[in-house]
Amino acid sequence: PRFYFLSNDELLEILAQTKNVQAVQPHMGKCFDGIRRLDFGDDPKSIDIHAMVSGEGERVGLGKNLKARGNVEKWLCDVEAAMIASLRRMAKAAFASYGEATRSEWVLHHPAQLVIAVSQVFWCAAVEERLRSSAQSQGLSTFLEHCVRDLADLTKLVRGQLTGLERRIVAALITIDVHARDIVDDLVKRGTKDVNEFEWQMQLRYAFENDDVVVRQVNARFVYAYEYLGAQSRLVVTPMTDRCYLTLTGALHLKLGGAPAGPA
C-alpha cells in the first residue's frame, strides 16, 4: 500500500481507528491506484473482505478467507497480496477461455485490464506466427483484414445495449486495437519478414509464459505486475507515446527510472 501518499493527519486517523475497518475506506484511492473501496458485504461491522471496487464501479473478487483483522498496515498488505493472486488467476482463466466464445462475448466477462492484456497476448502471437510463416496466404496482409474485422465487430458491440462499465471496457479495447491495426499496416508497408527486425522488436509485445503475462520491448523483459488498474479509459497511442514506452522500458531494463511530462 502506498502510505507515502497519505498526509500525517490521514495516517493518524487510520492508525487511531484500528478496530473500525471502515475508517480506511475514504483513503483507499491513495493507498491503491485502482481501488476506490473494498466490499465488506452488507454488514457494516463485517471484517470479511469480499472484493475490490474501482472508481468506475468494476467489482473484482479477492478470493476467500481475506479478513481485515489486526494492524491496518498488516491487513492492507494482505489485500495487496490477494489482489495480485486474484488477477493472476483471472488472467489464466481469461487466457484459457479466449477461443471458447466469440471475442465480442469474451470481452464482457473479464476485468478491463485483463481484457486488454490477454487480447494483446493473442495479437502478438498471431503477428509472430505470420512473420515466421512462409505461406503468402497466411501473411500479414491477410491478418490486417482480420484486425479490421475484429474492430468492426467491436464497433458494432459498442453501439448496442451495454452498461456504462461495459462500454468503457470496449472503448478502451478499441483504442488499443486501432493501434494494433496500425502496427500491422506499418509492418506490411515496410515489408517486414522476420520477428527479429527492429520494426517488430520495437513494439510492446505481450506473451504468456509459465502461467504469467510477460511484456517485452527490444531487449527489455518484464513480468506483468498484476496491480489492479480498474476500468480506466485509454489515451490514443501516438508515435510519441510509442517513443515514451521505448525510452521508459529501456531505462527500467538498465535499472534506471523515468518521469514523462507534457502532452503525449
Side-chain angles (χ1 to χ4, degrees), residues 20-58:
N20 178 16
V21 295
Q22 298 296 335
V24 182
Q25 293 281 38
H27 311 295
M28 282 306 296
K30 289 185 178 179
C31 293
F32 297 97
D33 188 36
I35 304 177
R36 175 63 58 86
R37 64 181 178 86
L38 295 172
D39 181 0
F40 287 94
D42 298 328
D43 183 0
K45 294 183 179 177
S46 170
I47 61 167
D48 293 317
I49 304 170
H50 302 292
M52 49 191 172
V53 182
S54 75
E56 301 81 24
E58 184 178 58

Side-chain angles (χ1 to χ4, degrees), residues 35 38-39 49-52 60-66 79 81-84 86 89-90:
I35 304 177
L38 295 172
D39 181 0
I49 304 170
H50 302 292
M52 49 191 172
V60 176
L62 286 170
K64 295 178 181 176
N65 304 322
L66 182 62
V79 168
M83 168 183 79
I84 292 168
S86 288
R89 185 181 69 249
M90 289 176 181

